[in-house]
Amino acid sequence: MAHIEVDVARQYLRLFEREGARPVWETAVATAKNGVGERYGSYQTPRGLHLVRAKIGVGAPRGAVFVGRRPTGEIYGPALRQLHPQRDWVLTRILWLSGLIIGQNRLGDVDTMRRYIYIHGAPDEDPMGVPSSHGCVKMRNDDVLELFERVPAGTRVHIIA
């Protein structure tokens, strides 16, 4: 079964078709500028085993803006960024993660899903390979479109530091 590995130290995401195999696809990402951690309100990327709980954005155009996991009807561009310079841009597609390890990234104040941690698209001018998110795993819009099509809900995601 396919699975995803996010390597925080190297700022890379890799897709594997099966256990023990070589990656079939990889791309640079940006994880949290605050490093790794699981606590609610930490703005850190949670470690450990997760799964893709929900896939959001089927049919949305490239650059579609999401707030609260809902499309706003806006398409990202420089003028929109200038209007909302402080917005945490969630674009194109969302893979909403849920932790699998009770007490580490599931339930209580360490629950990945309740922290709204996603793999999602970001503005193309945002640097990848550099920690800069608020806890999510950001990637280029073309890359999130490809990943979204390649993995079903339920896909395992292992985030390593």
Side-chain angles (χ1 to χ4, degrees):
M1 179 170 190
H3 67 279
I4 296 167
E5 178 183 277
V6 176
D7 185 330
V8 173
R10 297 181 66 207
Q11 294 292 293
Y12 258 80
L13 179 147
R14 292 179 180 84
L15 176 63
F16 296 84
E17 286 184 343
R18 62 186 189 286
E19 286 297 322
R22 292 184 182 268
V24 295
W25 185 78
E26 63 181 50
T27 188
V29 296
T31 60
K33 67 180 172 186
N34 286 349
V36 293
E38 292 70 42
R39 294 271 174 232
Y40 183 83
S42 69
Y43 297 100
Q44 295 176 312
T45 299
R47 295 162 290 195
L49 292 173
H50 298 80
L51 61 78
V52 175
R53 177 67 68 190
K55 293 174 58 175
I56 301 167
V58 171
R62 184 186 187 284
V65 176
F66 291 83
V67 173
R69 296 156 311 283
R70 300 211 190 297
T72 64
E74 302 163 305
I75 303 297
Y76 178 83
L80 189 60
R81 186 175 196 135
Q82 194 169 25
L83 268 175
H84 305 283
Q86 299 305 316
R87 191 182 271 183
D88 182 19
W89 298 103
V90 176
L91 306 178
T92 306
R93 299 288 184 276
I94 297 169
L95 299 168
W96 193 356
L97 302 182
S98 178
L100 292 174
I101 304 167
I102 293 173
Q104 180 185 334
N105 58 25
R106 184 163 182 217
L107 302 176
D109 66 351
V110 295
D111 194 272
T112 295
M113 191 165 187
R114 288 188 199 144
R115 290 182 57 208
Y116 304 106
I117 300 294
Y118 319 132
I119 298 171
H120 66 81
D124 288 331
E125 66 270 16
D126 283 7
M128 293 297 132
V130 178
S132 60
S133 81
H134 294 118
C136 291
V137 177
K138 301 189 311 184
M139 55 194 320
R140 299 256 177 258
N141 291 300
D142 289 343
D143 290 341
V144 80
L145 282 166
E146 183 167 346
L147 183 64
F148 193 90
E149 292 303 316
R150 293 180 81 155
V151 301
T155 298
R156 298 271 174 136
V157 178
H158 190 197
I159 301 175
I160 59 174

